[in-house]
Amino acid sequence: MKLRISVLPGDGIGPEVTRQAVAVLQTVSDVCGYDFRFLSHPIGGAAIEQDGTPLPEATLAACLDSDAVLLGAVGSPKFDHCVGDMRPEAGLLALRRALGGYANLRPVRAYKATLDCSPLHEDVVRDADLLIVRELLGGLYFGQPRAVEAGGLSAFNTMRYDVYEIERVAHIAFEEASRRRRLVTSVDKANVLETSQLWRRTVSQIARQYPDVRLDHAYVDSFAMQLMTTPSRYDVVLTENLFGDILSDEAAVICGSLGMLASASIGGRVALYEPVHGSAPDIAGRGVANPMGAIQTAAMLLRYSANLCEEADQIIASVERTLANGFVTPDMTGRRKRVPSTTEAVGESVVETVTDLLQRQMAFHAV
Ligand code: IPM
Ligand code: MG
């Protein structure tokens, strides 16, 4: 098994969490005798400093030429004054579009060992296990026209969806649901927006091709509330770009920290893997960033880009075991008031555990 992985650490805590994710992947490669190669490239603020642009041509070319792309985070207050294409985030959006992954999968699970880390009651988050499927290349993020007008006194963006954009992401949601608990909840604002009416109609049509999967519709405002009161009711949550951005940060409350969430953007030429959290400049470089989002992102990479599902499962099991052993960063100390460990210590614990689990698995397969 040969994998060429482009690593884009980016800004803020991006480099430190990505280092831990790469260490876990390298461990899988070493223990299982695979050949994973990693090549790092600049993106975001780091790329603006180095090359004067948030997505250098060499970075994009390398990504397009690799089997998968692992990204840390982009965004830096240093570039807050930049506008349009010169913002670090513009580099990420251009990369997403160029790679073509239109379905952004964001799993949200409340782990048994850390139920007390959510500000929600343990009875509320227990059994929560959902997958947000966020449309990633349409809607307000990319809709044209968009502009600032009247000398900065007026601005507008366009929310636009074409049927094919809704269809293709809906298929992904139904396929994922058919491998899970067979429920898709499609989230929109069809009581107000034409784009949402088109969304609802199109998703309902696609649903007919998946008779084993139930489809529910919800309005985004009431869904946002129910996600906090009864998260375990949901399986796959299908929604458009901006709603998915907002709801996935909200859903992180279920896990206790935004630092826990992973994502995969699939359906395009090369899949892009990035934790859901941002660059968190306020805590960058202090050894306190939670690497679990990035590490679980690495597991998604193995699952979706290499079909190494057992290895991906072992990484997730190692994350769970590490949490159960009390190794957490300061964002996950919880009501049990665990003593926090560093980013590196948490990463090392996952590496040790995954080494052990993989070796046992190989010994088991050998007999
Ligand atoms: C995310 C982030 C990005 C987004 C930003 C950094 C552009 O918030 O991946 O959720 O809005 O998509
Ligand atoms: Mg976001």
Side-chain angles (χ1 to χ4, degrees), residues 192-329:
V192 177
L193 303 175
E194 281 79 2
T195 44
S196 281
Q197 288 152 14
L198 181 68
W199 182 277
R200 195 175 274 223
R201 207 175 337 119
T202 308
V203 172
S204 300
Q205 292 260 340
I206 297 298
R208 295 198 194 140
Q209 298 174 40
Y210 301 88
D212 295 341
V213 178
R214 195 177 112 199
L215 170 65
D216 286 346
H217 298 281
Y219 293 135
V220 64
D221 49 354
S222 93
F223 179 82
M225 192 263 298
Q226 293 186 61
L227 184 59
M228 293 297 97
T229 54
T230 46
S232 59
R233 269 179 49 189
Y234 302 105
D235 180 19
V236 172
V237 175
L238 167 64
T239 193
E240 68 89 41
N241 204 345
L242 182 65
F243 296 164
D245 178 45
I246 298 168
L247 292 173
S248 55
D249 272 33
E250 189 197 9
V253 171
I254 296 164
C255 309
S257 169
L258 189 51
M260 293 295 294
L261 294 196
S263 96
S265 301
I266 63 168
R269 284 169 67 180
V270 182
L272 170 64
Y273 300 88
E274 43 176 324
V276 172
H277 64 71
S279 56
D282 51 320
I283 59 162
R286 290 178 22 209
V288 295
N290 190 341
M292 293 307 205
I295 289 171
Q296 297 186 91
T297 297
M300 294 189 86
L301 187 155
L302 294 185
R303 194 182 306 279
Y304 288 95
S305 282
N307 202 23
L308 293 175
C309 297
E310 282 189 18
E311 289 79 353
D313 289 343
Q314 303 291 32
I315 292 175
I316 300 298
S318 304
V319 165
E320 282 198 72
R321 207 174 280 196
T322 294
L323 293 171
N325 289 338
F327 284 99
V328 295
T329 40

Side-chain angles (χ1 to χ4, degrees), residues 131-158:
L131 175 69
I132 297 176
V133 179
R134 169 190 177 193
E135 199 292 323
L136 201 64
L137 297 183
L140 282 167
Y141 276 64
F142 294 95
Q144 293 291 344
R146 60 191 290 166
V148 180
E149 284 183 335
L153 293 177
S154 178
F156 65 94
N157 294 88
T158 302

Side-chain angles (χ1 to χ4, degrees), residues 24 27-28 31-32 310-322 325 349-365:
V24 170
T27 303
V28 173
V31 176
C32 301
E310 282 189 18
E311 289 79 353
D313 289 343
Q314 303 291 32
I315 292 175
I316 300 298
S318 304
V319 165
E320 282 198 72
R321 207 174 280 196
T322 294
N325 289 338
S349 170
V350 176
V351 163
E352 266 171 40
T353 312
V354 84
T355 305
D356 183 51
L357 291 182
L358 289 170
Q359 280 170 347
R360 277 167 201 253
Q361 178 181 310
M362 288 171 64
F364 176 78
H365 283 314

Side-chain angles (χ1 to χ4, degrees), residues 15 25 84 100 107 109 112 114-115 123 169 179 195 204 236 303-304 307:
L25 289 173
R109 253 182 77 197
K112 291 270 173 307
T114 47
L115 293 179
D123 291 340
V169 72
R179 287 190 288 271
T195 44
S204 300
V236 172
R303 194 182 306 279
Y304 288 95
N307 202 23

